[in-house]
Amino acid sequence: MADPLPLGVCLRSIRATPDWWLESARRLDAAGFAGVWSWDHFIGQGSDRTVPVVEGWTILSLAAGQTKHATVGTFVMNVMNRHPALVARMASTLHIATGGRLVLGIGIGGAPKEHAAYGMDFPAAQERVRRLEEAVAVIRALWTGGPVTRPSPFYPLTDAVAHPVPHPPPKIIVGGETRPGAELAARIGDGWSTFEDNF
């Protein structure tokens, strides 16, 4: 008999509270689900901007400490929200601390109103794709420990080191809702995520 298909659950971060999110993660882990994933948003997307929103990396770190088996992952982290060198360090720390349970989902993002509200850059999709390619390159380079020096129009590194080194490094899943997104994932990622209506 074949092993069952592993199932993970992406828990919403919008209209969620930390208590609800963590209780859901604990229950999913206890029930044998393969993973729990979090959206990467800072504010609600509808007309009511006062809805609670949990911050993805913080809640995943807490959930990792309260679960035993489930993968924890970002679904998907917006490349514009954090510098990739910082992401490399955050991801490495969480991956090592969980015994290798982190999966890094990353994409070009798609919440311009959220970025405008926070004063964060949100360039055109073409530039965000280039940034995503560079970000993944930076993250993978830093997961070697370094030192890393590499020119880049977006994320240059000069003699950058990053220890401890994750062995093996986390898988990188690239989010994309188009054929070019799937092709990008095949080129730079370890997997691809999309929505069911894109098949």
Side-chain angles (χ1 to χ4, degrees):
M1 183 174 176
D3 290 335
L5 181 68
L7 296 176
V9 176
C10 184
L11 295 169
R12 70 177 185 253
S13 59
I14 298 172
R15 297 189 184 279
T17 62
D19 288 346
W20 173 85
W21 212 102
L22 292 173
E23 175 61 20
S24 298
R26 287 191 295 267
R27 291 175 65 184
L28 290 165
D29 184 59
F33 282 83
V36 290
W37 302 75
S38 177
W39 296 348
D40 187 29
H41 286 289
F42 300 142
I43 60 177
Q45 302 301 300
S47 58
D48 182 1
R49 305 306 277 282
T50 65
V51 299
V53 179
V54 295
E55 196 282 315
W57 277 98
T58 307
I59 206 68
L60 285 174
S61 296
L62 288 165
Q66 297 184 28
T67 56
K68 292 183 168 66
H69 311 290
T71 292
V72 292
T74 51
F75 188 85
V76 294
M77 188 194 81
N78 181 339
V79 71
M80 297 304 301
N81 286 353
R82 297 163 195 86
H83 193 287
L86 173 62
V87 172
R89 300 312 316 274
M90 292 163 57
S92 178
T93 298
L94 188 53
H95 192 61
I96 293 168
T98 59
R101 289 193 288 138
L102 176 72
V103 175
L104 176 62
I106 188 168
I108 67 167
K113 289 182 180 177
E114 182 173 292
H115 285 74
Y118 274 46
M120 297 164 60
D121 289 341
F122 194 77
Q126 234 178 5
E127 179 177 326
R128 298 197 319 274
V129 168
R130 291 197 307 273
R131 284 178 177 269
L132 177 59
E133 290 180 283
E134 277 296 308
V136 170
V138 164
I139 291 166
R140 289 195 191 280
L142 287 174
W143 282 346
T144 69
V148 180
T149 297
R150 63 188 313 276
S152 162
F154 305 118
Y155 311 115
L157 300 178
T158 304
D159 202 28
V161 295
H163 293 277
V165 175
H167 291 296
K171 299 289 187 190
I172 297 178
I173 306 298
V174 176
E177 299 178 31
T178 62
R179 182 181 181 89
E183 292 168 351
L184 178 64
R187 194 166 65 250
I188 67 171
D190 300 305
W192 173 55
S193 68
T194 193
F195 296 104
E196 70 279 359
D197 57 1
N198 290 323
F199 287 102

